[in-house]
């Protein structure tokens, strides 16, 4: 796999001899459930807010910087048009617009965030240009990218997940979910469009060995106590049983 100078090397492990890659900076389906459950258990509004945006990030694959700029109006339009539009001005590189298809779970997560926004803002009619996710202090201010990172770290600790996990892992998790579950002829192409990659080459990392596959295979290897059995030994055992 070709890695350009812009490729983030911290989430790729090269596998010798094969030329393939192993992506380890993502959450397995079980870890995703633990993360959402951790934020869903407390009854306070900040936890409900966090559970909402964690869900949206897992279901959309958006980058934190893109997501933090979404307004109530953007979310409302998405619920009506079935697509969440991300203008190129808000995207990394700023070259192309992107749109995210609103699946039923993503629709529910966006509605939850709108409801939480209204509770925090104390209104039934939020302003269209108001940030979708309000900060702890709210006063109409959006959560900063740093605030998202800190809250994410908090829930990672509560859920007992890898301490080096970051919000960007949710983007990789979205891609891995597509690669696992899509029945399309070209799931990599689906992942490319879903994440808004400019090139299919950027999506190639998701076709490598999965972290849990590697761990399971090595566990099975080290747990194996089998030894080679000769044909003569098999014949002797057969004769004894006969």
């Amino acid at each position: 796999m070709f890695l350009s100078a812009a490729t983030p090397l911290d989430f790729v492990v090269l596998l010798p001899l094969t030329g393939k890659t192993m992506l380890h900076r993502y959450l397995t389906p079980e870890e995703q459930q633990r993360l959402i459950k951790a934020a869903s258990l407390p009854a306070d509004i900040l936890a409900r807010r966090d559970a909402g945006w964690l869900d949206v990030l897992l279901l959309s694959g958006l980058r934190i910087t893109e997501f933090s700029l979404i307004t109530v109006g953007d979310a409302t339009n998405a619920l009506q048009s079935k697509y969440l539009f991300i203008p190129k001005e808000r995207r990394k590189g700023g070259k192309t617009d992107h749109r995210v298809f609103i699946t039923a779970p993503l629709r529910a997560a966006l509605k939850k965030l709108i409801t939480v926004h209204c509770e925090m803002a104390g209104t039934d009619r939020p302003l269209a240009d108001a940030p979708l996710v309000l900060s702890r202090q709210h006063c109409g201010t959006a959560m900063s990218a740093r605030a998202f990172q800190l809250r994410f770290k908090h829930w990672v600790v509560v859920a007992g997940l890898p301490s080096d996990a970051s919000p960007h892992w949710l983007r990789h998790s979205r891609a891995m979910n597509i690669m696992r579950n899509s029945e399309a002829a070209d799931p990599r192409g689906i992942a490319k469009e879903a994440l808004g990659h400019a090139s299919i080459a950027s999506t190639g990392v998701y076709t490598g060995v999965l972290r849990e596959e590697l761990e399971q295979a090595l566990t099975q290897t080290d747990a194996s106590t089998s030894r080679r059995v000769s044909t003569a030994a098999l014949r002797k055992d057969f004769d004894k049983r006969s």
Side-chain angles (χ1 to χ4, degrees), residues 52-237:
W53 63 256
L54 286 169
D55 224 0
V56 169
L57 289 179
L58 271 173
L59 293 165
S60 67
L62 290 174
R63 299 180 179 90
I64 276 293
T65 50
E66 299 168 344
F67 177 71
S68 65
L69 297 174
I70 292 175
T71 65
V72 172
D74 294 331
T76 301
N77 289 337
L79 296 177
Q80 296 172 348
S81 68
K82 297 184 179 181
Y83 281 95
L84 176 62
F85 179 68
I86 310 296
K88 61 184 179 182
E89 293 84 1
R90 300 180 186 176
R91 301 197 67 220
K92 182 180 179 180
K95 294 182 179 180
T96 57
D97 296 329
H98 178 49
R99 63 177 188 168
V100 177
F101 177 65
I102 306 299
T103 61
L106 181 52
R107 172 179 292 273
L110 286 173
K111 286 184 175 180
K112 181 189 299 184
L113 277 180
I114 293 176
T115 298
V116 171
H117 172 101
C118 291
E119 291 183 36
M120 292 183 69
T123 179
D124 293 330
R125 292 187 176 183
L127 298 174
D129 60 353
L132 175 61
V133 184
L134 293 172
S135 68
R136 180 190 296 266
Q137 294 78 16
H138 60 86
C139 299
T141 59
M143 276 185 68
S144 65
R146 180 59 177 163
F148 277 109
Q149 293 168 351
L150 291 175
R151 290 298 285 179
F152 183 85
K153 288 291 185 183
H154 168 74
W155 295 119
V156 160
V157 172
V158 174
L161 298 179
S163 60
D164 58 338
S166 73
H168 202 71
W169 283 36
L170 302 181
R171 178 171 169 83
H172 297 316
S173 299
R174 177 57 173 167
M176 298 307 298
N177 288 343
I178 293 172
M179 297 298 294
R180 285 192 192 94
N181 303 324
S182 175
E183 297 181 358
D186 180 19
R188 188 174 67 155
I190 300 298
K192 171 186 175 296
E193 294 302 319
L195 270 64
H197 284 161
S199 169
I200 193 68
S202 300
T203 319
V205 65
Y206 302 116
T207 63
V209 177
L210 301 184
R211 169 165 48 92
E212 58 266 37
E213 289 179 339
L214 176 68
E215 293 173 355
Q216 181 180 13
L218 293 179
T219 299
Q220 291 173 341
T221 297
D222 291 345
S224 175
T225 58
S226 61
R227 51 199 174 103
R228 188 186 298 272
V229 179
S230 67
T231 304
L234 291 173
R235 180 72 217 191
K236 184 177 180 179
D237 179 67

